[in-house]
Structures are given as C-alpha cells and as structure tokens.
Amino acid sequence: MAEKKIQSALISVYYKDNLEPIIEQLKNQGVTIYSTGGTQKFIEELGADVVPVEELTGYPSIFGGRVKTLHPKVFGGILHRRENESDINQASEYGIPAIDLVIVDLYPFEETVASGASEVDIIEKIDIGGIALIRAAAKNYKDVTIIASKAQYGELEEKLKSQNGALNLNDRRYFAAQAFKVSSNYDTHIFNYFNREENIPALKISEEKATDLRYGENPHQDARFYGNIEDLFDQLNGKELSFNNLVDVDAAVSLIAEFSKETAFAILKHTNACGVALGETVKDAYDKAFAADTISAFGGVLITNKKVDLAAAEAMHGLFFEVLIAPDFDQDALDLLKGKKKRILLKQKINLTGTKQVKTLLNGFVEQDKDLKTETKEQFEVVTKLSPSEAEKDALVFALKICKHTKSNTIILSNHDQLFSSGVGQTSRVDALKQAIEKAKAFGFDLKGAVMASDAFFPFPDCVEIAGNEGISAVVQPGGSIKDKDSIAYCDDNGMSMVMTGVRHFKH
C-alpha cells in the first residue's frame, strides 16, 4: 500500500500537549526535524536535534510572527511529487529537501471568539501559515503525512511504533481527510464571525464532535448528534440519550426557559407538554403538573427550573420517566432518584443561547429565527367590552407561554399556574379545542373560569362558542381573521373577554 518511511518532519504547533512521545519516536528513528519558535525550543528541551526553519528558508520570522513558514523551500518540500521526474529535478536544483511528515495545529480562533476577546486579538488568531501547511500536506497525501490536530497524536504515535516509522497510503489518506475536516471547520468559524455583521446569505455549519446514537427516531434509522452537549448538561445517571430523548430535551429546555422567576415544572411527551405548573416548591409544581395528565406522564421527560429536593424526588420517584432535568439536585434527592439505573438525570448548566433554527427541507435547508417572542399582558389589546381581570391576564400569559411550544393547531386551557389540558397537532382548531375539553374533563378539571389560548386566529366564531358553553371566561389569540368581529360579538353577548396579540405562534 505504498508504504513510506518518514525521514523528515516539519513540526509547528500551538498546543504542545502529548507531543513528547512523538518527538521521542522521531528522535529514535533518526528523523530530521524542522521547526521554529516555541515548538523548536520545546523539541530541543526534549533532547532532539532541530533544523530551524529560518536556516532552511534563509529568512527570519518576520512581521511579528505572521510570516514564518510561507516560503518555497517549505511548501516545495511538502508539495513536490516524489514520483514526478520534473518535480524531483526542480527540488534538487533549488535545494528543496523533501518533508515527509507535517505536524501543525491552528491558532485557537474559536476559543478566542468565545472568550469575548477584542477584535484585534481575534484577528491575530486567524492562522495563515498553519492552514496553508495543512492544505498543502493533505493535498499531497500520496507522499506526505499530515497531523492537523492534537486529537490525532495518539494514532500517529501508535502507527510510528507498530510500523517502524512508516505509514502506508491508507494511513496518509485517512490523516488527510482528518486534516480537511480541521481546516474546513476553522474556515467556517472565521466566516461566521465576520458574517455576524455582514449577513451574507450563506449557511455554514460545522461541528467536529459527533456522538453515535443507538438509533434514530425509529430502530431502523441510523443517527448521530453533532455538538458538545456536555456544555449544556452534566449527566448524573442513566443510559445514553437517544434521538427521541434529545428531541424532547430540546423542547423541554425551551419551554422551561419561559419561566425565569417562578418555580416551574413541566412534563413533556413527544415534544408537547402534558403537564405544566407553577408552585411554592418543586414538589408543589410537580404535583400540579402531573395532575394535568397522569397517563401521558408515563415515559415522559420532566424538567424544573429549581433545585430538586428530597420531597420532590420522593413525589416523582414512583413514576416511570425517561429524563429529569434540573439546575441542581440535593444529594439525598439524587441518591434516591439514582435508584433507577436507566433513569437519565441531567444537571442543566446553562440556558440555550442560539437564535436560529435550521432543518433539512426538500433538497436543501431552511433557516429561520427562533420564536423568541413571548407576549406580556401589557401588550394585550382588549377587543371586547369586558376586560379580563388581572388574574385572568396572568392566566392568559401563562397559557400563551405553553401555547407557543405546542404543535399546531393547538388550544391551551389553564388557569394562572396550572395547565388543565391541551389540544395538540390537530388539522382543525375546533378539533384541538374539543380534544382539550375532553381531556380536561377526563382528569377532573372544572373549566368554569378557565382561560383559553390559541396559537393562531379563529377563522370562525365556533371555538369561542364552544369555549363559552364550557364556562371559559377569557381568551387570547393573535387576531387577523376577516371574521374576528364574529368571535368578538359572541364574547360580548356572553360575558367573555378577549385579547389579541398580533403574534401568531405556529409550531410544526
């Protein structure tokens, strides 16, 4: 497989971690090492001889280190084709030595941006020589091995040991692919940094970390998660998160973020809330959320925005659920909940910060802003003769927060601190309301004095008529139907209040 023994190496890295064993291998195998700057000093301190790059090129490092390796003697040594007679003759004519191994990493651009550094510091972390060396060596993988990340140090060390300092074509092509992964990811993050202001219409997404999932939405579908979920959560117990777990966890985290001050608890199933409540304690909020649908809660995803104490843990421990998410757990509560070995317990460290959503659609992708708008009672437009009371306004705000996170068409029935029921994902808004009413009654809720929230306008007055007959007293909806006046008239004639927001919350 075109095995080539490494005789020379160019090493220039920002991170020196775990480089020492490779240097020892190269030194023991008599490899000529070229290097510069801090890497040269590091290698020499390990007792290996180093040819300074400046000696090879005849130029010092200039412009504050911006130009070190950008020279024909470096790139010619990497790029010349070892089986091309013309390339060999030119290399000989210009005194260009072959370079068989390139170990280089890149300035930490992404980390510098994340640190909140100044633009001057960020720009200085745009690597020029390193990215050029990576591309050159990867392009000429038939002759050259490229190591573009410290993540590959261990693999290189093992191959140098087991193959006596030689790598075959398959090895070199594998490392080239890894190198282009590094370079493409790097360029994507640079573009996205500049595009914060320029807003060029191009979609560039790059996540290097991939986690294989047990399967996708169904067992016959393969799936991976791309990203660092550890940045969001510490997993304290349980099996690996599945595809469906991740989808529900995303929905749960987005919903609970609506409640920043109150003690809130939500139970979700297939991304829709089957229970949401506020309470004096986590246990109180859990009890009320569970009461909204004691059947659907089985196998659900649970989330709260406050620390789980022993009383809350005891209340929910008897329920079979897939995931529980909380910002923290008292130790005795955690010990109890860990009694179910497969139960997933997640400690949420930070809130979601993204403002965009992307999904595949047809033969491309669509990107949109996340629905981050949540109406307050100050934004309500009262359109009926009767205004809702302050308590009813609080209830309408509560219902709207749930409504925007529920699949369309949806109707939410609640009071100010407890979801009574929801009609979810129906093709007709009337069907959604009927589903919600039937469900509320099945779990013993009296709808007299309850409020109703709709994700979109009422095309006909039928929904408010049905709601009024059940004793529902206040309604919130976006408005915008040509027959809004009919719904308003029914409310006026039957002692109901209605507010409009002008904001639709479709969710598909």
Side-chain angles (χ1 to χ4, degrees):
M1 293 297 295
E3 192 172 85
K4 290 180 179 288
K5 190 171 180 66
I6 292 172
Q7 297 179 335
S8 59
L10 171 64
I11 306 175
S12 179
V13 295
Y14 187 87
Y15 296 107
K16 316 296 189 296
D17 323 38
N18 303 317
L19 185 61
E20 183 175 349
I22 293 174
I23 301 302
E24 288 297 319
Q25 286 286 319
L26 298 177
K27 181 177 71 172
N28 293 338
Q29 291 165 7
V31 174
T32 300
I33 299 176
Y34 299 94
S35 191
T36 186
T39 308
Q40 177 185 340
K41 181 180 178 184
F42 175 81
I43 296 171
E44 288 173 338
E45 288 175 351
L46 295 175
D49 294 330
V50 179
V51 178
V53 168
E54 294 85 350
E55 185 178 307
L56 172 63
T57 64
Y59 275 86
S61 173
I62 56 176
F63 307 128
R66 283 187 164 200
V67 179
K68 291 182 284 191
T69 56
L70 295 167
H71 193 279
K73 283 200 171 181
V74 174
F75 282 86
I78 295 168
L79 283 166
H80 82 265
R81 293 158 290 188
R82 308 322 194 244
E83 297 176 359
N84 184 295
E85 186 175 348
S86 175
D87 285 9
I88 294 170
N89 290 338
Q90 284 188 316
S92 176
E93 178 182 358
Y94 294 108
I96 298 174
I99 297 174
D100 305 319
L101 169 65
V102 176
I103 303 177
V104 62
D105 61 11
L106 301 170
Y107 292 155
F109 178 84
E110 190 178 350
E111 294 88 338
T112 304
V113 172
S115 74
S118 68
E119 176 146 295
V120 171
D121 290 337
I122 289 169
I123 297 304
E124 283 307 309
K125 288 299 185 288
I126 298 177
D127 208 308
I128 304 301
I131 202 81
L133 289 169
I134 287 171
R135 292 179 64 85
K139 176 177 180 175
N140 201 24
Y141 72 88
K142 289 187 177 180
D143 297 307
V144 180
T145 300
I146 172 65
I147 302 297
S149 166
K150 61 183 180 181
Q152 275 88 58
Y153 286 178
E155 292 176 276
L156 176 63
E157 180 190 357
E158 178 57 35
K159 289 185 182 296
L160 290 174
K161 283 181 181 177
S162 63
Q163 297 170 196
N164 194 30
L167 281 86
N168 61 44
L169 184 61
N170 282 347
D171 296 331
R172 295 193 298 276
R173 198 178 194 285
Y174 164 77
F175 284 124
Q178 292 283 354
F180 282 123
K181 182 183 81 167
V182 169
S183 65
S184 63
N185 178 69
Y186 196 74
D187 285 339
T188 294
H189 285 288
I190 293 172
F191 169 77
N192 286 337
Y193 170 76
F194 278 92
N195 208 36
R196 290 177 180 180
E197 294 185 10
E198 304 306 327
N199 200 27
I200 298 166
L203 178 63
K204 304 287 183 181
I205 300 172
S206 181
E207 288 289 350
E208 288 200 293
K209 184 171 182 181
T211 303
D212 287 326
L213 304 176
R214 296 195 301 276
Y215 50 81
E217 204 161 8
N218 299 291
H220 62 276
Q221 296 169 268
D222 291 335
R224 286 194 184 99
F225 175 78
Y226 292 94
N228 294 298
I229 199 167
E230 298 84 2
D231 292 345
L232 285 175
F233 306 108
D234 288 331
Q235 183 166 346
L236 307 179
N237 191 66
K239 59 188 178 181
E240 293 179 355
L241 286 159
S242 69
F243 179 97
N244 292 327
N245 289 154
L246 289 167
V247 172
D248 284 335
V249 166
D250 177 76
V253 168
S254 297
L255 172 58
I256 208 71
E258 298 286 349
F259 305 98
S260 57
K261 297 178 181 178
E262 315 96 326
T263 298
F265 204 101
I267 304 171
L268 290 89
K269 198 76 171 287
H270 297 293
T271 75
N272 295 302
C274 56
V276 184
L278 310 178
E280 293 297 321
T281 65
V282 174
K283 178 185 181 302
D284 181 33
Y286 165 75
D287 286 341
K288 289 194 289 186
F290 179 65
D293 188 340
T294 58
I295 297 173
S296 297
F298 182 85
V301 169
L302 282 55
I303 188 167
T304 182
N305 60 353
K306 302 296 182 184
K307 180 190 282 190
V308 174
D309 59 14
L310 182 59
E314 287 174 338
M316 67 184 80
H317 183 56
L319 173 68
F320 169 72
F321 58 86
E322 287 278 332
V323 184
L324 171 62
I325 309 160
D328 207 353
F329 297 81
D330 281 341
Q331 189 58 52
D332 50 2
L334 186 61
D335 292 341
L336 174 64
L337 292 167
K338 281 184 171 181
K340 303 289 178 69
K341 300 301 181 184
K342 292 184 179 181
R343 175 184 283 164
I344 298 168
L345 303 176
L346 299 178
K347 179 179 177 180
Q348 185 176 351
K349 297 186 284 188
I350 58 174
N351 291 325
L352 293 174
T353 56
T355 60
K356 298 287 186 180
Q357 287 178 316
V358 179
K359 67 183 293 186
T360 59
L361 202 64
L362 300 174
N363 62 341
F365 302 85
V366 289
E367 179 190 59
Q368 69 169 354
D369 295 334
K370 283 187 175 182
D371 184 0
L372 299 176
K373 188 171 182 61
T374 301
E375 298 87 331
T376 64
K377 56 187 178 182
E378 290 75 22
Q379 295 167 311
F380 289 166
E381 179 190 359
V382 179
V383 294
T384 48
K385 294 175 183 176
L386 181 66
S387 293
S389 68
E390 285 303 308
E392 286 174 326
K393 287 180 182 178
D394 289 338
L396 292 171
V397 169
F398 177 79
L400 267 179
K401 289 179 177 180
I402 303 168
C403 191
K404 66 176 279 194
H405 292 278
T406 307
K407 292 291 176 66
S408 299
N409 288 310
T410 187
I411 293 289
I412 299 296
L413 304 180
S414 78
N415 63 13
H416 70 285
D417 66 358
Q418 184 180 23
L419 170 67
F420 292 163
S421 63
S422 58
V424 178
Q426 299 301 302
T427 53
S428 158
R429 198 159 302 280
V430 171
D431 287 344
L433 175 56
K434 288 179 177 178
Q435 180 191 55
I437 291 170
E438 180 182 354
K439 191 171 182 181
K441 290 180 176 180
F443 289 100
F445 290 103
D446 183 357
L447 293 178
K448 193 169 293 184
V451 304
M452 174 173 74
S454 175
D455 60 332
F457 65 61
F458 299 118
F460 304 101
D462 44 10
C463 280
V464 291
E465 292 175 14
I466 295 169
N469 289 334
E470 296 296 334
I472 290 167
S473 62
V475 179
V476 59
Q477 59 135 328
S481 168
I482 61 173
K483 295 194 175 184
D484 278 344
K485 63 181 183 301
D486 295 341
S487 294
I488 294 169
Y490 179 86
C491 290
D492 285 340
D493 292 342
N494 292 274
M496 296 172 68
S497 63
M498 178 186 288
V499 301
M500 292 185 180
T501 65
V503 180
R504 190 182 72 187
H505 289 293
F506 272 169
K507 188 172 188 290
H508 297 107

